[in-house]
Amino acid sequence: MNIAKQRVVVLGGTSGIGYATAQAAAAHGAEVVVVSSNEQRVRAAADRLGVTGIAADLNELPAGLFDEIGAFDHLVYTAGGPLSLMPVTDFDPVVARDFFGLRYFGALSAVRAALPVLREGGSITLTTGTAGDRPSPGWAVASSICGAVDSLTRALAVELAPIRVNAVKPGVTRSPLWGAGADDFYTQTAAQVPLRRVGEVGDVADAYLYLIGQPFTTGTVVTVDGGALLV
C-alpha cells in the first residue's frame, strides 16, 4: 500500500474509528484532513496528529466544505453519533430520521458534494455495521441503517465507476461510541466472539487503509468483527 502524499479526507475523524483511521493514514505518509462538528475536538485532534482540521456540521453539510478542502484522493466517512436502541413499541419517527440523517443521508450528501474535487483513481469508503446482519431486539432502526449503507455501497460502486466505493463493517469495537461504563458489555461480547475479544479502533482502521490502497476492489464490504457473525 502506497498512499504517501495522497490526500485523505476523514469525515468524523476526531475520535474512535475515524481518529484511528486518520492516524494510520498519516503514519503512512498521507496528507490528512479531519472534519467533525465540534471545533474544540477538531483542533485537538488536528494538533495531536499533525494534520489539517475543519469544523463543520455533517448533519447539514456546508455548501463550500469541499471547495475549502480542495482536490483530494480518498474520502472516508465514519461520522455517527452515540448508539441508542429503539424498540418498536417506543418508535419515534423524528428520532429515527435524525439517526438516519447523519449515518446514511449524511454519507450520501458528502459523496455527492465531494465528487467535483475527488481525483481520478480515487476512492470512497463508508461505514456500516454488523447489526444489519445480526440484529438484536431494539435494533430495528440501527440495523436498517446498516443494511441501507451496505446497499448504498454497491449502488455507488456501479454508478460512480471507475471511482472505487467500499465500506467497512465493524463489529463491537471499543470506542467512545458506546459511551462510558461499557466494560461489562465488552466482556460479555468478547466471551461470545471466536477471537475472544472485542475490536480495537486500530483493528478497524487497518481495514479502511486496505480499501483505500487496494486498487482493484470496489463494491465490497469488509467485515471486521472477530468472527462474531459466525456464531
mmCIF file of all heavy atoms in Angstrom, residues 131-151:
data_model
loop_
_atom_site.group_PDB
_atom_site.id
_atom_site.type_symbol
_atom_site.label_atom_id
_atom_site.label_comp_id
_atom_site.label_asym_id
_atom_site.label_seq_id
_atom_site.Cartn_x
_atom_site.Cartn_y
_atom_site.Cartn_z
ATOM 1 N N ALA A 131 -24.822 -5.020 12.814
ATOM 2 C CA ALA A 131 -26.234 -5.073 13.237
ATOM 3 C C ALA A 131 -27.163 -5.331 12.066
ATOM 4 O O ALA A 131 -28.268 -5.856 12.244
ATOM 5 C CB ALA A 131 -26.620 -3.765 13.927
ATOM 6 N N GLY A 132 -26.735 -4.988 10.854
ATOM 7 C CA GLY A 132 -27.558 -5.256 9.683
ATOM 8 C C GLY A 132 -27.677 -6.738 9.383
ATOM 9 O O GLY A 132 -28.656 -7.185 8.771
ATOM 10 N N ASP A 133 -26.689 -7.521 9.795
ATOM 11 C CA ASP A 133 -26.690 -8.962 9.559
ATOM 12 C C ASP A 133 -27.203 -9.748 10.752
ATOM 13 O O ASP A 133 -27.762 -10.832 10.597
ATOM 14 C CB ASP A 133 -25.258 -9.436 9.251
ATOM 15 C CG ASP A 133 -24.671 -8.756 8.038
ATOM 16 O OD1 ASP A 133 -24.895 -9.254 6.930
ATOM 17 O OD2 ASP A 133 -23.996 -7.722 8.197
ATOM 18 N N ARG A 134 -26.958 -9.226 11.959
ATOM 19 C CA ARG A 134 -27.321 -9.942 13.173
ATOM 20 C C ARG A 134 -27.964 -8.966 14.158
ATOM 21 O O ARG A 134 -27.371 -8.610 15.168
ATOM 22 C CB ARG A 134 -26.073 -10.595 13.773
ATOM 23 C CG ARG A 134 -26.316 -11.487 14.982
ATOM 24 C CD ARG A 134 -26.984 -12.790 14.612
ATOM 25 N NE ARG A 134 -26.153 -13.609 13.740
ATOM 26 C CZ ARG A 134 -25.161 -14.395 14.160
ATOM 27 N NH1 ARG A 134 -24.860 -14.465 15.432
ATOM 28 N NH2 ARG A 134 -24.476 -15.119 13.303
ATOM 29 N N PRO A 135 -29.197 -8.525 13.889
ATOM 30 C CA PRO A 135 -29.830 -7.563 14.788
ATOM 31 C C PRO A 135 -30.276 -8.207 16.090
ATOM 32 O O PRO A 135 -30.575 -9.401 16.139
ATOM 33 C CB PRO A 135 -31.029 -7.067 13.981
ATOM 34 C CG PRO A 135 -31.351 -8.185 13.048
ATOM 35 C CD PRO A 135 -30.043 -8.844 12.722
ATOM 36 N N SER A 136 -30.307 -7.392 17.125
ATOM 37 C CA SER A 136 -30.843 -7.809 18.426
ATOM 38 C C SER A 136 -32.131 -7.048 18.680
ATOM 39 O O SER A 136 -32.428 -6.063 17.992
ATOM 40 C CB SER A 136 -29.820 -7.509 19.526
ATOM 41 O OG SER A 136 -28.625 -8.222 19.322
ATOM 42 N N PRO A 137 -32.916 -7.471 19.658
ATOM 43 C CA PRO A 137 -34.132 -6.716 19.983
ATOM 44 C C PRO A 137 -33.805 -5.251 20.280
ATOM 45 O O PRO A 137 -32.842 -4.955 20.988
ATOM 46 C CB PRO A 137 -34.652 -7.431 21.233
ATOM 47 C CG PRO A 137 -34.151 -8.827 21.109
ATOM 48 C CD PRO A 137 -32.799 -8.702 20.481
ATOM 49 N N GLY A 138 -34.606 -4.377 19.732
ATOM 50 C CA GLY A 138 -34.383 -2.954 19.919
ATOM 51 C C GLY A 138 -33.532 -2.303 18.849
ATOM 52 O O GLY A 138 -33.333 -1.088 18.861
ATOM 53 N N TRP A 139 -33.015 -3.103 17.914
ATOM 54 C CA TRP A 139 -32.097 -2.598 16.905
ATOM 55 C C TRP A 139 -32.756 -2.409 15.535
ATOM 56 O O TRP A 139 -32.067 -2.355 14.522
ATOM 57 C CB TRP A 139 -30.918 -3.563 16.764
ATOM 58 C CG TRP A 139 -29.920 -3.431 17.872
ATOM 59 C CD1 TRP A 139 -30.025 -3.921 19.132
ATOM 60 C CD2 TRP A 139 -28.666 -2.750 17.810
ATOM 61 N NE1 TRP A 139 -28.918 -3.596 19.868
ATOM 62 C CE2 TRP A 139 -28.062 -2.878 19.088
ATOM 63 C CE3 TRP A 139 -27.985 -2.055 16.805
ATOM 64 C CZ2 TRP A 139 -26.822 -2.328 19.385
ATOM 65 C CZ3 TRP A 139 -26.752 -1.512 17.104
ATOM 66 C CH2 TRP A 139 -26.170 -1.637 18.372
ATOM 67 N N ALA A 140 -34.048 -2.298 15.471
ATOM 68 C CA ALA A 140 -34.717 -2.209 14.173
ATOM 69 C C ALA A 140 -34.202 -1.034 13.344
ATOM 70 O O ALA A 140 -33.916 -1.176 12.146
ATOM 71 C CB ALA A 140 -36.234 -2.088 14.367
ATOM 72 N N VAL A 141 -34.097 0.132 13.961
ATOM 73 C CA VAL A 141 -33.635 1.316 13.220
ATOM 74 C C VAL A 141 -32.153 1.198 12.897
ATOM 75 O O VAL A 141 -31.726 1.409 11.753
ATOM 76 C CB VAL A 141 -33.924 2.607 14.018
ATOM 77 C CG1 VAL A 141 -33.307 3.817 13.322
ATOM 78 C CG2 VAL A 141 -35.429 2.805 14.165
ATOM 79 N N ALA A 142 -31.344 0.850 13.897
ATOM 80 C CA ALA A 142 -29.900 0.769 13.683
ATOM 81 C C ALA A 142 -29.550 -0.269 12.619
ATOM 82 O O ALA A 142 -28.701 -0.024 11.747
ATOM 83 C CB ALA A 142 -29.201 0.429 14.994
ATOM 84 N N SER A 143 -30.202 -1.437 12.662
ATOM 85 C CA SER A 143 -29.895 -2.471 11.670
ATOM 86 C C SER A 143 -30.371 -2.055 10.278
ATOM 87 O O SER A 143 -29.736 -2.392 9.268
ATOM 88 C CB SER A 143 -30.529 -3.804 12.071
ATOM 89 O OG SER A 143 -31.940 -3.728 12.098
ATOM 90 N N SER A 144 -31.451 -1.285 10.220
ATOM 91 C CA SER A 144 -31.933 -0.784 8.926
ATOM 92 C C SER A 144 -30.918 0.160 8.291
ATOM 93 O O SER A 144 -30.705 0.137 7.070
ATOM 94 C CB SER A 144 -33.264 -0.059 9.096
ATOM 95 O OG SER A 144 -34.264 -0.937 9.570
ATOM 96 N N ILE A 145 -30.294 0.983 9.116
ATOM 97 C CA ILE A 145 -29.274 1.901 8.597
ATOM 98 C C ILE A 145 -28.096 1.119 8.042
ATOM 99 O O ILE A 145 -27.589 1.418 6.944
ATOM 100 C CB ILE A 145 -28.815 2.867 9.699
ATOM 101 C CG1 ILE A 145 -29.957 3.800 10.091
ATOM 102 C CG2 ILE A 145 -27.602 3.681 9.245
ATOM 103 C CD1 ILE A 145 -29.694 4.617 11.335
ATOM 104 N N CYS A 146 -27.660 0.096 8.790
ATOM 105 C CA CYS A 146 -26.536 -0.716 8.309
ATOM 106 C C CYS A 146 -26.870 -1.380 6.974
ATOM 107 O O CYS A 146 -26.048 -1.390 6.052
ATOM 108 C CB CYS A 146 -26.180 -1.774 9.346
ATOM 109 S SG CYS A 146 -25.541 -1.108 10.895
ATOM 110 N N GLY A 147 -28.074 -1.932 6.869
ATOM 111 C CA GLY A 147 -28.482 -2.544 5.602
ATOM 112 C C GLY A 147 -28.544 -1.540 4.480
ATOM 113 O O GLY A 147 -28.167 -1.837 3.329
ATOM 114 N N ALA A 148 -29.003 -0.331 4.788
ATOM 115 C CA ALA A 148 -29.084 0.710 3.759
ATOM 116 C C ALA A 148 -27.697 1.100 3.265
ATOM 117 O O ALA A 148 -27.485 1.300 2.062
ATOM 118 C CB ALA A 148 -29.813 1.929 4.313
ATOM 119 N N VAL A 149 -26.733 1.214 4.182
ATOM 120 C CA VAL A 149 -25.370 1.588 3.771
ATOM 121 C C VAL A 149 -24.726 0.463 2.973
ATOM 122 O O VAL A 149 -23.998 0.717 1.998
ATOM 123 C CB VAL A 149 -24.518 1.975 4.994
ATOM 124 C CG1 VAL A 149 -23.070 2.251 4.573
ATOM 125 C CG2 VAL A 149 -25.097 3.214 5.680
ATOM 126 N N ASP A 150 -24.984 -0.789 3.347
ATOM 127 C CA ASP A 150 -24.488 -1.913 2.541
ATOM 128 C C ASP A 150 -24.955 -1.780 1.089
ATOM 129 O O ASP A 150 -24.163 -1.911 0.143
ATOM 130 C CB ASP A 150 -25.009 -3.240 3.101
ATOM 131 C CG ASP A 150 -24.312 -3.668 4.379
ATOM 132 O OD1 ASP A 150 -23.390 -2.966 4.832
ATOM 133 O OD2 ASP A 150 -24.694 -4.715 4.929
ATOM 134 N N SER A 151 -26.241 -1.544 0.909
ATOM 135 C CA SER A 151 -26.800 -1.430 -0.441
ATOM 136 C C SER A 151 -26.286 -0.185 -1.146
ATOM 137 O O SER A 151 -26.007 -0.212 -2.357
ATOM 138 C CB SER A 151 -28.330 -1.394 -0.362
ATOM 139 O OG SER A 151 -28.825 -2.610 0.157
#
